[in-house]
Amino acid sequence: MATDFRDQLESLFDPETGEALPAFDEFRVMLGNKANQVAAYILNCELDAAQADMAIKRIQKIRDSKVLRANRLREYLAENMKTAGINEIKASDSSFIVKLYPDRDETVQLDAGVTFPPELCGDPRPLLPSRTKIKNAILAGQPVAGARIVRKDRLTIK
């Protein structure tokens, strides 16, 4: 494209004198119009990209709101099922089954700012505590200050 432009530009000058031919002024006007059109198109592309960014942010906010609402409702449902002693709920049309598994999942909670001995830290990154090593130490009966195993309920909806 740039080569075509140079070839065309060379044909607008007299090869012997180097002076511009009369068609050069027309070419400059055409080139100016094309440059304006390209600049306008660039601006349109940038505006479209900005609008897409705004739409993405808006959709992400909607998504985050829906995820937060679902998590809160999941906790609400699990707590009420646990309180009522219900471990399973089936939809009347068999479209889903809700199951509560009390105290099924275990996680290791670490207190903020607590440092752990090297034997309870990860091998590749010795400064970071290893939840697996800490859990194994607690299960083996060793007291680990600043860490505890917490049992959580699991609620599945299929």
Side-chain angles (χ1 to χ4, degrees):
M1 197 161 163
T3 309
D4 295 339
F5 171 75
R6 283 189 213 107
D7 292 343
Q8 196 173 7
L9 189 60
E10 288 175 7
S11 69
L12 297 175
F13 290 91
D14 187 316
E16 293 176 12
T17 64
E19 292 181 15
L21 298 174
F24 179 70
D25 287 332
E26 293 174 22
F27 179 76
R28 287 182 61 196
V29 170
M30 180 194 72
L31 184 61
N33 289 339
K34 186 168 187 148
N36 284 339
Q37 291 170 356
V38 170
Y41 184 71
I42 291 168
L43 288 174
N44 283 337
C45 288
E46 291 172 347
L47 286 172
D48 287 346
Q51 286 178 345
D53 286 340
M54 290 187 328
I56 289 169
K57 287 177 185 174
R58 184 177 56 78
I59 290 169
Q60 283 176 332
K61 284 182 183 179
I62 291 169
R63 181 197 153 275
D64 293 347
S65 171
K66 296 293 184 184
V67 167
L68 184 62
R69 182 177 296 151
N71 288 339
R72 286 182 180 160
L73 288 171
R74 184 177 286 276
E75 290 172 10
Y76 170 80
L77 181 59
E79 187 63 35
N80 284 297
M81 286 177 69
K82 188 174 186 175
T83 301
I86 300 170
N87 289 334
E88 185 174 285
I89 299 172
K90 293 182 180 180
S92 58
D93 63 354
S94 300
S95 60
F96 62 86
I97 297 174
V98 180
K99 290 187 179 183
L100 178 66
Y101 302 94
D103 297 328
R104 177 173 177 192
D105 298 335
E106 291 181 342
T107 59
V108 176
Q109 280 187 347
L110 304 177
D111 295 337
V114 176
T115 56
F116 295 93
E119 62 270 9
L120 295 179
C121 293
D123 293 329
R125 296 182 284 167
L127 299 177
L128 298 176
S130 167
R131 292 180 190 273
T132 304
K133 289 181 179 182
I134 292 171
K135 180 179 179 181
N136 291 337
I138 292 172
L139 292 175
Q142 293 178 339
V144 179
R148 71 198 70 55
I149 295 176
V150 178
R151 298 184 133 260
K152 295 183 178 182
D153 300 337
R154 178 183 291 193
L155 181 76
T156 62
I157 303 173
K158 294 182 182 181

XYZ file of all heavy atoms in Angstrom, residues 55-122:
539
model
N -19.033 -1.638 28.795
C -19.986 -2.753 28.819
C -19.416 -3.928 29.604
O -20.128 -4.563 30.389
C -20.343 -3.170 27.395
N -18.137 -4.202 29.405
C -17.485 -5.296 30.145
C -17.531 -5.011 31.639
O -17.863 -5.897 32.437
C -16.033 -5.501 29.656
C -16.036 -6.118 28.250
C -15.227 -6.347 30.626
C -14.682 -6.108 27.571
N -17.209 -3.784 32.041
C -17.237 -3.425 33.464
C -18.648 -3.565 34.027
O -18.836 -4.073 35.133
C -16.721 -2.003 33.667
C -15.222 -1.886 33.485
C -14.764 -0.457 33.623
C -13.269 -0.348 33.306
N -12.807 1.024 33.296
N -19.640 -3.125 33.254
C -21.030 -3.224 33.698
C -21.439 -4.690 33.845
O -22.024 -5.081 34.851
C -21.956 -2.513 32.704
C -23.418 -2.491 33.130
C -24.276 -1.720 32.142
N -24.199 -2.204 30.788
C -24.832 -3.287 30.329
N -25.585 -3.994 31.123
N -24.710 -3.658 29.080
N -21.080 -5.504 32.879
C -21.432 -6.927 32.927
C -20.684 -7.616 34.071
O -21.249 -8.476 34.754
C -21.142 -7.597 31.567
C -22.157 -7.082 30.538
C -21.195 -9.107 31.664
C -21.835 -7.450 29.113
N -19.424 -7.232 34.314
C -18.677 -7.825 35.420
C -19.327 -7.472 36.763
O -19.376 -8.309 37.664
C -17.214 -7.370 35.405
C -16.395 -8.085 34.352
C -14.962 -7.578 34.269
O -14.677 -6.430 34.582
N -14.059 -8.431 33.826
N -19.828 -6.244 36.884
C -20.525 -5.856 38.116
C -21.788 -6.684 38.297
O -22.088 -7.141 39.403
C -20.880 -4.364 38.099
C -19.713 -3.462 38.365
C -20.147 -2.010 38.378
C -18.959 -1.085 38.565
N -19.366 0.327 38.546
N -22.520 -6.900 37.220
C -23.732 -7.731 37.287
C -23.341 -9.152 37.680
O -23.965 -9.762 38.548
C -24.486 -7.710 35.937
C -25.083 -6.326 35.684
C -25.569 -8.777 35.902
C -25.617 -6.124 34.274
N -22.298 -9.696 37.054
C -21.826 -11.042 37.364
C -21.417 -11.148 38.820
O -21.809 -12.088 39.522
C -20.654 -11.400 36.459
C -20.097 -12.792 36.695
C -18.698 -12.935 36.072
N -17.944 -13.922 36.766
C -17.234 -13.731 37.876
N -17.182 -12.550 38.410
N -16.578 -14.696 38.445
N -20.607 -10.192 39.293
C -20.149 -10.217 40.679
C -21.330 -10.148 41.647
O -21.342 -10.836 42.665
C -19.181 -9.067 40.949
C -17.864 -9.211 40.200
O -17.592 -10.317 39.671
O -17.121 -8.215 40.127
N -22.321 -9.333 41.313
C -23.519 -9.218 42.143
C -24.273 -10.545 42.197
O -24.723 -10.975 43.263
C -24.426 -8.114 41.592
O -25.661 -8.114 42.245
N -24.402 -11.209 41.059
C -25.106 -12.494 41.007
C -24.347 -13.570 41.792
O -24.952 -14.365 42.505
C -25.319 -12.948 39.560
C -26.210 -12.036 38.750
C -27.620 -12.067 39.258
C -28.514 -11.213 38.360
N -29.869 -11.146 38.861
N -23.019 -13.589 41.662
C -22.210 -14.570 42.391
C -22.338 -14.330 43.899
O -22.527 -15.274 44.674
C -20.731 -14.503 41.939
C -19.819 -15.275 42.881
C -20.588 -15.024 40.525
N -22.263 -13.069 44.315
C -22.392 -12.734 45.727
C -23.769 -13.129 46.254
O -23.878 -13.728 47.333
C -22.140 -11.234 45.930
C -22.146 -10.732 47.361
C -21.046 -11.398 48.178
C -21.968 -9.220 47.385
N -24.812 -12.834 45.480
C -26.170 -13.191 45.886
C -26.322 -14.706 46.002
O -26.891 -15.219 46.966
C -27.200 -12.641 44.907
C -28.640 -12.973 45.344
C -29.676 -12.372 44.431
N -29.582 -10.924 44.507
C -29.909 -10.105 43.511
N -30.346 -10.599 42.379
N -29.808 -8.815 43.656
N -25.800 -15.443 45.019
C -25.885 -16.908 45.062
C -25.139 -17.461 46.271
O -25.637 -18.369 46.944
C -25.332 -17.507 43.768
N -23.970 -16.913 46.582
C -23.207 -17.382 47.739
C -23.950 -17.106 49.040
O -23.982 -17.955 49.937
C -21.818 -16.746 47.775
C -20.907 -17.297 46.709
O -21.123 -18.385 46.188
N -19.888 -16.536 46.350
N -24.542 -15.930 49.147
C -25.305 -15.599 50.357
C -26.521 -16.515 50.493
O -26.817 -16.990 51.587
C -25.736 -14.140 50.326
C -24.592 -13.184 50.583
C -25.067 -11.758 50.598
N -23.965 -10.847 50.843
C -23.987 -9.573 50.551
N -25.069 -9.039 50.011
N -22.944 -8.817 50.809
N -27.210 -16.751 49.400
C -28.370 -17.634 49.448
C -27.960 -19.074 49.736
O -28.670 -19.804 50.439
C -29.166 -17.547 48.143
C -29.952 -16.248 47.953
C -30.520 -16.164 46.549
C -31.062 -16.120 48.985
N -26.830 -19.485 49.226
C -26.310 -20.832 49.497
C -26.045 -20.983 51.007
O -26.407 -21.985 51.618
C -25.038 -21.062 48.689
C -24.448 -22.446 48.813
C -23.230 -22.588 47.919
N -23.597 -22.702 46.518
C -23.944 -23.834 45.930
N -23.973 -24.950 46.615
N -24.266 -23.860 44.651
N -25.402 -19.971 51.607
C -25.151 -19.996 53.051
C -26.471 -20.007 53.829
O -26.605 -20.748 54.813
C -24.316 -18.784 53.461
C -22.886 -18.825 52.985
C -22.133 -17.523 53.243
O -22.671 -16.649 53.973
O -21.017 -17.377 52.720
N -27.409 -19.190 53.401
C -28.731 -19.121 54.038
C -29.422 -20.483 53.981
O -29.935 -20.975 54.992
C -29.566 -18.054 53.318
C -31.028 -18.023 53.684
C -31.456 -17.406 54.848
C -31.980 -18.605 52.852
C -32.807 -17.372 55.178
C -33.325 -18.580 53.178
C -33.731 -17.957 54.339
O -35.066 -17.931 54.671
N -29.427 -21.113 52.828
C -30.060 -22.409 52.658
C -29.366 -23.468 53.512
O -30.030 -24.252 54.207
C -30.059 -22.818 51.185
C -30.705 -24.157 50.827
C -32.163 -24.184 51.252
C -30.577 -24.410 49.332
N -28.045 -23.492 53.487
C -27.297 -24.485 54.271
C -27.561 -24.317 55.759
O -27.784 -25.302 56.474
C -25.801 -24.365 53.976
N -27.551 -23.098 56.234
C -27.789 -22.836 57.662
C -29.180 -23.269 58.073
O -29.368 -23.901 59.115
C -27.570 -21.346 57.960
C -27.628 -21.009 59.432
C -26.527 -21.693 60.248
O -25.408 -21.855 59.739
O -26.814 -22.065 61.398
N -30.179 -22.967 57.249
C -31.551 -23.344 57.583
C -31.757 -24.856 57.482
O -32.480 -25.440 58.297
C -32.552 -22.588 56.717
C -32.703 -21.161 57.173
O -33.147 -20.908 58.288
N -32.288 -20.225 56.336
N -31.128 -25.513 56.502
C -31.227 -26.970 56.413
C -30.582 -27.614 57.630
O -31.127 -28.560 58.211
C -30.568 -27.480 55.122
C -31.373 -27.206 53.866
S -30.523 -27.734 52.351
C -30.556 -29.526 52.528
N -29.427 -27.086 58.060
C -28.728 -27.624 59.224
C -29.570 -27.442 60.480
O -29.706 -28.371 61.288
C -27.365 -26.942 59.379
C -26.491 -27.554 60.431
C -25.116 -26.921 60.409
C -24.187 -27.628 61.369
N -22.834 -27.098 61.272
N -30.149 -26.246 60.638
C -30.983 -25.965 61.804
C -32.189 -26.899 61.851
O -32.564 -27.388 62.918
C -31.453 -24.497 61.775
O -30.299 -23.649 61.779
C -32.320 -24.164 62.970
N -32.800 -27.160 60.695
C -33.990 -28.010 60.634
C -33.653 -29.491 60.600
O -34.553 -30.336 60.660
C -34.825 -27.642 59.407
N -32.370 -29.836 60.489
C -31.978 -31.244 60.442
C -32.295 -31.894 59.107
O -32.449 -33.112 59.028
N -32.341 -31.104 58.051
C -32.630 -31.620 56.708
C -31.308 -31.769 55.957
O -30.513 -30.840 55.891
C -33.567 -30.660 55.939
C -34.880 -30.503 56.678
C -33.784 -31.144 54.516
C -35.753 -29.387 56.123
N -31.061 -32.941 55.392
C -29.828 -33.164 54.636
C -30.041 -33.248 53.136
O -29.074 -33.237 52.378
C -29.130 -34.442 55.108
C -28.535 -34.274 56.486
O -28.202 -33.169 56.893
N -28.432 -35.360 57.213
N -31.308 -33.355 52.698
C -31.563 -33.467 51.262
C -32.922 -32.867 50.928
O -33.886 -33.066 51.657
C -31.528 -34.940 50.839
C -31.670 -35.135 49.342
C -31.480 -36.589 48.943
O -30.330 -37.048 48.948
O -32.483 -37.237 48.625
N -32.948 -32.146 49.819
C -34.192 -31.586 49.293
C -34.239 -31.934 47.817
O -33.271 -31.680 47.085
C -34.257 -30.047 49.452
C -34.198 -29.647 50.927
C -35.499 -29.481 48.786
C -34.052 -28.142 51.142
N -35.352 -32.511 47.377
C -35.526 -32.829 45.960
C -36.617 -31.942 45.395
O -37.661 -31.750 46.018
C -35.925 -34.296 45.777
C -34.846 -35.271 46.163
C -35.282 -36.701 45.924
C -34.172 -37.656 46.335
N -34.548 -39.055 46.115
N -36.375 -31.423 44.202
C -37.388 -30.621 43.525
C -38.541 -31.522 43.121
O -38.333 -32.687 42.759
C -36.796 -29.940 42.295
N -39.758 -30.985 43.169
C -40.935 -31.794 42.840
C -40.907 -32.277 41.395
O -41.450 -33.326 41.081
C -42.213 -31.005 43.120
O -42.205 -29.800 42.378
N -40.246 -31.535 40.519
C -40.154 -31.954 39.117
C -38.834 -32.691 38.826
O -38.487 -32.907 37.669
C -40.318 -30.756 38.187
C -39.208 -29.727 38.349
O -38.367 -29.884 39.272
O -39.180 -28.764 37.568
N -38.096 -33.015 39.856
C -36.808 -33.721 39.762
C -35.753 -32.962 38.961
O -34.839 -33.558 38.404
C -36.995 -35.121 39.171
O -37.849 -35.883 39.982
N -35.871 -31.650 38.911
C -34.902 -30.862 38.148
C -33.605 -30.623 38.921
O -32.577 -30.308 38.317
C -35.516 -29.526 37.727
O -35.904 -28.786 38.875
N -33.653 -30.762 40.250
C -32.430 -30.616 41.023
C -32.585 -31.314 42.373
O -33.692 -31.602 42.818
C -32.040 -29.152 41.234
C -33.049 -28.355 42.008
C -33.024 -28.330 43.405
C -34.026 -27.618 41.352
C -33.951 -27.597 44.117
C -34.950 -26.883 42.064
C -34.918 -26.872 43.454
N -31.424 -31.572 42.985
C -31.362 -32.144 44.326
C -30.368 -31.306 45.124
O -29.273 -31.003 44.644
C -30.881 -33.612 44.304
C -31.865 -34.497 43.553
C -30.673 -34.133 45.721
C -31.379 -35.928 43.376
N -30.773 -30.921 46.313
C -29.898 -30.178 47.211
C -29.469 -31.138 48.309
O -30.309 -31.782 48.936
C -30.629 -28.969 47.833
C -29.701 -28.211 48.768
C -31.195 -28.060 46.765
N -28.152 -31.241 48.521
C -27.642 -32.113 49.579
C -26.735 -31.305 50.490
O -25.915 -30.515 50.023
C -26.866 -33.295 48.999
C -27.745 -34.298 48.288
C -26.956 -35.520 47.900
C -27.878 -36.523 47.202
N -27.178 -37.759 46.872
N -26.917 -31.534 51.786
C -26.079 -30.887 52.787
C -25.220 -31.967 53.439
O -25.734 -32.980 53.913
C -26.938 -30.196 53.857
C -26.167 -29.523 54.982
C -25.356 -28.342 54.437
C -27.120 -29.047 56.068
N -23.924 -31.760 53.421
C -22.979 -32.665 54.054
C -22.366 -31.917 55.237
O -21.399 -31.178 55.071
C -21.881 -33.090 53.083
C -22.400 -33.761 51.829
C -22.641 -33.037 50.670
C -22.651 -35.128 51.825
C -23.114 -33.656 49.524
C -23.118 -35.759 50.678
C -23.352 -35.010 49.536
O -23.820 -35.634 48.405
N -22.934 -32.087 56.446
C -22.437 -31.330 57.604
C -20.992 -31.684 57.943
O -20.596 -32.850 57.912
C -23.375 -31.742 58.744
C -24.561 -32.363 58.089
C -24.088 -32.909 56.781
N -20.224 -30.675 58.258
C -18.826 -30.811 58.691
C -17.978 -31.679 57.768
O -17.059 -32.362 58.203
C -18.768 -31.385 60.123
C -19.421 -30.461 61.134
O -19.357 -29.236 60.919
O -19.991 -30.959 62.113
N -18.253 -31.648 56.481
C -17.535 -32.503 55.539
C -16.161 -31.948 55.175
O -15.190 -32.673 55.067
C -18.359 -32.694 54.272
C -17.588 -33.516 53.256
C -18.386 -33.875 52.083
N -17.552 -34.606 51.136
C -17.899 -34.859 49.934
N -19.076 -34.484 49.499
N -17.091 -35.508 49.124
N -16.091 -30.661 54.944
C -14.850 -30.067 54.445
C -14.016 -29.508 55.588
O -14.530 -28.937 56.539
C -15.155 -28.958 53.439
C -15.885 -29.472 52.215
O -15.746 -30.660 51.898
O -16.595 -28.672 51.576
N -12.708 -29.666 55.469
C -11.780 -29.129 56.450
C -10.870 -28.118 55.762
O -10.397 -28.354 54.652
C -10.905 -30.229 57.051
C -11.622 -31.196 57.931
C -10.679 -32.233 58.515
O -9.562 -32.427 57.993
O -11.088 -32.852 59.486
N -10.644 -27.024 56.448
C -9.672 -26.048 55.972
C -8.791 -25.647 57.143
O -9.208 -25.727 58.298
C -10.343 -24.778 55.396
O -11.152 -24.179 56.399
C -11.177 -25.088 54.174
N -7.601 -25.213 56.842
C -6.689 -24.742 57.874
C -6.745 -23.224 57.870
O -6.486 -22.590 56.849
C -5.249 -25.239 57.611
C -4.281 -24.662 58.630
C -5.194 -26.748 57.612
N -7.109 -22.647 59.009
C -7.130 -21.200 59.146
C -5.844 -20.758 59.818
O -5.433 -21.337 60.828
C -8.322 -20.740 59.991
C -9.607 -20.678 59.250
C -10.711 -20.059 60.105
O -10.576 -19.899 61.311
N -11.807 -19.732 59.466
N -5.223 -19.737 59.251
C -3.994 -19.193 59.811
C -4.271 -17.784 60.302
O -4.914 -16.990 59.605
C -2.889 -19.161 58.755
C -2.548 -20.484 58.057
C -1.490 -20.252 56.989
C -2.096 -21.514 59.054
N -3.804 -17.475 61.504
C -3.958 -16.121 62.032
C -2.999 -15.189 61.301
O -1.884 -15.575 60.932
C -3.672 -16.093 63.536
C -4.691 -16.902 64.334
O -5.813 -17.106 63.819
O -4.366 -17.318 65.465
N -3.431 -13.965 61.109
C -2.604 -12.976 60.411
C -1.393 -12.619 61.259
O -1.486 -12.497 62.485
C -3.427 -11.730 60.110
N -0.268 -12.472 60.601
C 0.949 -12.022 61.265
C 1.696 -13.085 62.033
O 2.728 -12.803 62.643
N 1.212 -14.312 62.060
C 1.884 -15.388 62.787
C 2.959 -15.993 61.894
O 2.723 -16.253 60.720
C 0.863 -16.473 63.219
C 1.572 -17.634 63.892
C -0.189 -15.890 64.128
N 4.138 -16.196 62.459
C 5.205 -16.868 61.716
C 5.292 -18.310 62.205
O 5.094 -18.596 63.383
C 6.561 -16.164 61.914
O 6.852 -16.092 63.305
C 6.552 -14.780 61.313
N 5.571 -19.192 61.295
C 5.603 -20.612 61.588
C 7.028 -21.119 61.429
O 7.805 -20.591 60.627
C 4.652 -21.367 60.657
C 3.211 -21.004 60.883
C 2.599 -19.998 60.141
C 2.454 -21.649 61.855
C 1.279 -19.652 60.362
C 1.134 -21.306 62.081
C 0.538 -20.310 61.342
N 7.377 -22.175 62.157
C 8.731 -22.725 62.032
C 8.958 -23.276 60.626
O 8.010 -23.647 59.936
C 8.778 -23.832 63.093
C 7.364 -24.108 63.469
C 6.568 -22.884 63.142
N 10.214 -23.352 60.209
C 10.525 -23.795 58.836
C 9.969 -25.164 58.480
O 9.617 -25.404 57.334
C 12.055 -23.819 58.800
C 12.484 -22.903 59.887
C 11.414 -22.940 60.938
N 9.856 -26.069 59.459
C 9.342 -27.402 59.137
C 7.857 -27.382 58.782
O 7.339 -28.350 58.242
C 9.611 -28.397 60.277
C 8.956 -28.063 61.586
C 9.821 -27.197 62.503
O 10.877 -26.710 62.079
O 9.410 -27.007 63.647
N 7.165 -26.283 59.078
C 5.754 -26.152 58.714
C 5.562 -25.234 57.509
O 4.442 -24.827 57.199
C 4.929 -25.637 59.905
C 4.858 -26.570 61.115
C 4.050 -25.931 62.227
C 4.266 -27.910 60.731
N 6.648 -24.907 56.847
C 6.570 -24.042 55.669
C 6.832 -24.873 54.417
O 7.351 -25.982 54.481
C 7.575 -22.896 55.777
S 7.146 -21.755 57.116
N 6.451 -24.318 53.274
C 6.597 -25.028 52.005
C 8.040 -25.221 51.607
O 8.909 -24.438 51.973
